[in-house]
Amino acid sequence: MDEHHEPWPRHVAVIMDGNGRWARRRHLPRIEGHRAGVKSARAAMEVCRDLGVPVLTLYTFSLENWRRPQAEVDELMRLLHRYLAREAPRLAANRVRFRALGRLGMLPAKVRAKVEELTAATAGNDRLTLCLALSYGGRAEIVDAINAAAAARVAAGREPGPLAPADIAAHLYAPDVPPPDLIIRTSGEVRLSNFLLWESVGARLVFVPELWPDFNAKRLAALVSAERARHAAQVAR
Ligand code: IPE
Ligand code: IPE
Ligand code: MG
């Protein structure tokens, strides 16, 4: 890679969609699709590590997803808890720093405790930052950032407004993380579904037909490499 250029993408964000359809096609319960999706998530983590992508964000559970049938929400929370409880050794071995973005206060206390544990346990890792968007909504993030920015001003003895974009950017859920350069959505749906609305301003958007459990390491690596080459050619022009 040309050393004069910034590495690209600095941040890949994925809308992991299609688990339910993957399960339905196999006449399996939806949760089996989510289980298979965890394998794709691990593969994505390893691909980003191998390709030198510094940040990977996975859209794991949206604020809208709280409105799914209670049984599915419960199963997703159980699966999430198990992932968080078991993933520490793998993250340590891969030098992955774990972060969670979203209204984490809405998560079951057990899940939130695991989120906090894993965040603290991996804080010193430096190879890849893995962000899970959990109980996440883009509009809610912007609202939360505006309220936090105004509250910080008041705490500093100043007027709460007017606010500038930089004030809001400084109070997002992960203000130190660069915005995504590449956003990928699987399953053929062409929408953002309330994902990273503030941060996606300059992102390249790629929509692929594969269902998330079918989107394997090879496919993601090929996609990121192709996008990287396209970006390099564009910068060279
Ligand atoms: C994405 O798969 C995973 C979550 C939103 C938790 P879906 O569950 O949305 O799968 P489809 O879209 O119904 O196939
Ligand atoms: C987006 O997928 C949310 C996640 C991948 C976590 P959804 O399947 O929930 O989104 P919609 O309902 O199709 O917009
Ligand atoms: Mg879906």
Side-chain angles (χ1 to χ4, degrees):
M1 194 190 300
D2 185 338
E3 308 165 23
H4 300 292
H5 292 142
E6 285 276 303
W8 192 101
R10 285 178 307 168
H11 179 174
V12 171
V14 185
I15 303 172
M16 309 186 287
D17 199 14
N19 295 350
R21 277 162 281 172
W22 184 92
R24 195 173 60 219
R25 283 179 198 176
R26 285 165 180 72
H27 308 286
L28 294 169
R30 290 179 65 85
I31 190 64
E32 293 304 327
H34 298 311
R35 277 206 189 100
V38 174
K39 290 191 188 144
S40 288
R42 287 201 183 103
M45 184 265 280
E46 286 166 7
V47 165
C48 288
R49 178 207 60 197
D50 291 346
L51 294 181
V53 174
V55 184
L56 170 67
T57 296
L58 298 175
Y59 200 7
T60 305
F61 192 84
S62 71
L63 280 178
E64 289 73 22
N65 290 155
W66 287 117
R67 294 199 292 262
R68 289 195 179 192
Q70 192 58 46
E72 184 178 0
V73 170
D74 291 345
E75 283 178 326
L76 279 167
M77 288 300 138
R78 264 199 299 278
L79 188 60
L80 181 59
H81 182 267
R82 191 154 32 145
Y83 169 87
L84 295 168
R86 291 186 181 175
E87 209 63 4
R90 190 189 305 265
L91 298 185
N94 288 289
R95 300 209 333 252
V96 178
R97 176 170 72 136
F98 172 85
R99 300 281 289 270
L101 330 173
R103 289 200 167 156
L104 306 179
M106 291 171 72
L107 294 169
K110 262 178 73 173
V111 173
R112 207 168 58 237
K114 287 290 165 209
V115 164
E116 283 161 15
E117 232 175 81
L118 202 54
T119 305
T122 62
N125 295 338
D126 56 2
R127 179 129 180 211
L128 171 75
T129 298
L130 173 67
C131 302
L132 294 195
L134 293 178
S135 190
Y136 176 89
R139 284 188 172 182
E141 180 178 28
I142 295 168
V143 169
D144 290 350
I146 291 169
N147 288 326
R153 291 255 197 130
V154 171
R158 298 168 60 198
E159 291 292 321
L163 297 166
D167 299 310
I168 294 161
H171 290 88
L172 296 171
Y173 296 138
D176 53 320
V177 166
D181 289 320
L182 177 61
I183 297 179
I184 301 164
R185 181 172 189 148
T186 57
S187 91
E189 305 299 337
V190 184
R191 28 172 206 282
L192 282 176
S193 298
N194 204 9
F195 189 45
L196 301 179
L197 297 185
W198 180 279
E199 298 88 336
S200 60
V201 164
R204 164 106 171 150
L205 308 179
V206 177
F207 299 91
V208 299
E210 292 94 334
L211 304 175
W212 176 246
D214 291 328
F215 198 67
N216 60 22
K218 207 171 146 195
R219 187 66 182 85
L220 176 63
L223 193 157
V224 173
S225 300
E227 288 298 330
R228 190 176 259 171
R230 187 202 51 81
H231 176 80
Q234 202 170 40
V235 170
R237 263 196 283 143

